Amino acid sequence: MTRLYLDHNATSPLRPQCRDAMLDAMSAPRNASSVHAEGRAAKQLVERARKSLSDAISCPPTSVVFTSGGTESDHTGILGFTRGGPKVERIFLSATEHPAVPAAAAKSGLPVEIVPVLSDGTLDLCWLDQRLSNYDPQTEGAFLLCVMLANNETGVIHPVKEAAAIARKAGGYTMVDAVQALFKVPLDFSTLGADMLCLSAHKAGGPVGVGALVVTPGLGFEPLLGGGGQEENRRAGTHNIPAIVGFGALAEVAKPSEYEALAAIRDQIEAGLPDGATVHGASAARLPNTTCLTAPGFKSETQVMSMDLGGIAVSAGSACSSGKMKKSSVLGAMGVPEDETATSLRISLGWDTPPDAAERVLATWIPEYKRISSRAA
Ligand code: PLP
């Protein structure tokens, strides 16, 4: 039986179109800053990728700053903006941000306030509206609001447009981490209302190690990395041409419509769950590829291991660099009791997910759950 990989929110296998474009890009020396013919050809490749990405998300090509991925984009957005933009005095973070965001905010040395989420996982807009209704940028200073577009563990989609509008009205700026949302749902930077957008290629079938920070034209900004003048002095370092080319190829082939079709498989999994099992964030708008379920008494580690033995790769929430599983702060922020966070499982589908994936998941998961439940009874 072939393995079934359902951990696309950790990383998605490289698409063949990206691999082919990357192999081609690797076949010659390529430094886009060199003035000779090889260098000029490399620059063309970078600019084509920039155009493909900017077309896909509706922003000017000059707004795209290529980085090494989501983590760097989050750091560059927060630190680059708070050091080089208007005088920012405070940062607001949604309670379910990826750890890269609070880590970067902590490095800024600015006071941080957490914006809570509701029990369905979506940003508490009432809290935000109330907190900012009397906000006076003259006395309290400008602020940066960081809110992710879609959560990596639950797939829950935050009302980012509304949040950015509230922030703007109060004189603030907004950075949106769209690492998980890119290409999985429609994304239009020109109408989002955000000042910065953080992207990564590897969650939708592009290469690992490349991402982008999209910056509104004219936004004040200090580069995180200095040295060379690459990316219009916004990110120094020789361009990773094969990875950037792979990202450009991804922008040409990956489409939200392809992910929309995965919702049927996701729904089939959820509909087939036995009594007792529930889905976190089920009532909110979610990414079509993600489900985060919980089943009483069925520990996350046991679920992951039994699925793995059954040939299916899934995860207990977010992938963690140590390889160990830790308690989910995302579910905690949603008010999920601790015993339930210890029994959650994330299944994330992607571009190569076969149509029979739901049947295989249920055929492996249900007997194991029944076995554990009958032992506990
Ligand atoms: N932001 C979100 C929402 C993520 O899910 C991740 C990775 O899981 C990151 C940022 C970090 O991205 P990268 O792995 O490209 O550094």
Side-chain angles (χ1 to χ4, degrees):
M1 175 74 88
T2 52
R3 296 240 346 139
L4 179 58
Y5 182 83
L6 299 180
D7 199 13
H8 286 254
N9 288 11
T11 197
S12 194
L14 190 64
R15 294 180 191 243
Q17 298 93 330
C18 299
R19 191 189 50 227
D20 292 350
M22 291 173 75
L23 287 173
D24 214 35
M26 275 182 213
S27 64
R30 302 208 191 269
N31 185 331
S33 306
S34 302
V35 291
H36 44 60
E38 288 82 354
R40 293 197 304 278
K43 176 130 180 71
Q44 267 184 3
L45 291 178
V46 172
E47 295 318 315
R48 177 179 163 181
R50 197 186 310 280
K51 175 85 174 60
S52 302
L53 180 59
S54 62
D55 283 350
I57 59 169
S58 303
C59 72
T62 49
S63 287
V64 173
V65 180
F66 283 116
T67 66
S68 67
T71 301
E72 186 187 325
S73 299
D74 288 334
H75 278 73
T76 308
I78 291 176
L79 296 173
F81 178 66
T82 54
R83 288 171 186 168
K87 198 161 163 33
V88 169
E89 300 286 358
R90 131 185 349 264
I91 301 178
F92 290 95
L93 304 180
S94 94
T96 59
E97 290 300 296
H98 183 273
V101 172
K107 278 185 200 298
S108 75
L110 294 171
V112 171
E113 273 182 63
I114 302 298
V115 185
V117 295
L118 303 171
S119 58
D120 68 355
T122 57
L123 194 78
D124 189 341
L125 285 175
C126 290
W127 187 98
L128 188 67
D129 202 25
Q130 227 164 36
R131 172 67 183 88
L132 296 179
S133 58
N134 296 318
Y135 194 91
D136 179 9
Q138 299 305 327
T139 53
E140 296 188 73
F143 65 87
L144 176 65
L145 168 69
C146 300
V147 53
M148 66 197 334
L149 186 44
N151 185 263
N152 41 310
E153 291 185 34
T154 58
V156 164
I157 296 176
H158 286 300
V160 163
K161 242 187 208 182
E162 292 81 350
I166 293 171
R168 189 167 296 261
K169 208 169 111 208
Y173 298 81
T174 304
M175 182 185 95
V176 173
D177 177 331
V179 165
Q180 290 292 347
L182 182 63
F183 305 126
K184 296 177 188 161
V185 287
L187 178 53
D188 182 338
F189 185 68
S190 70
T191 57
L192 197 61
D195 299 281
M196 293 179 283
L197 189 68
C198 305
L199 307 173
S200 183
H202 72 108
K203 309 293 187 180
V208 179
V210 64
L213 176 69
V214 179
V215 191
T216 299
L219 197 74
F221 188 81
E222 183 185 301
L224 198 59
L225 303 178
Q230 290 90 353
E231 296 297 290
E232 297 187 1
N233 291 312
R234 292 172 298 181
R235 200 275 187 179
T238 304
H239 288 101
N240 182 353
I241 306 271
I244 291 172
V245 165
F247 197 2
L250 176 72
E252 286 167 25
V253 297
K255 302 268 176 287
S257 52
E258 164 195 33
Y259 284 90
E260 245 167 63
L262 293 176
I265 300 179
R266 192 262 324 260
D267 293 347
Q268 202 186 334
I269 295 173
E270 294 182 356
L273 293 174
D275 284 350
T278 48
V279 174
H280 294 299
S283 58
R286 283 181 295 155
L287 292 177
N289 77 316
T290 309
T291 183
C292 181
L293 55 96
T294 183
F298 198 4
K299 287 226 170 319
S300 304
E301 300 91 293
T302 317
Q303 296 190 57
V304 170
M305 280 187 294
S306 27
M307 295 292 268
D308 196 30
L309 288 173
I312 304 175
V314 289
S315 93
S318 58
C320 156
S321 55
S322 66
K324 293 200 190 102
M325 293 169 195
K326 44 178 199 193
K327 214 178 71 190
S328 164
S329 61
V330 171
L331 299 180
M334 291 164 67
V336 174
E338 211 164 294
D339 57 332
E340 261 186 56
T341 63
T343 58
S344 66
L345 184 75
R346 176 183 72 184
I347 300 173
S348 49
L349 319 173
W351 64 270
D352 67 346
T353 299
D356 66 348
E359 283 139 49
R360 283 187 63 185
V361 164
L362 295 170
T364 309
W365 190 88
I366 291 175
E368 203 52 30
Y369 173 52
K370 288 198 171 143
R371 197 178 61 78
I372 300 274
S373 315
S374 64
R375 262 203 336 214

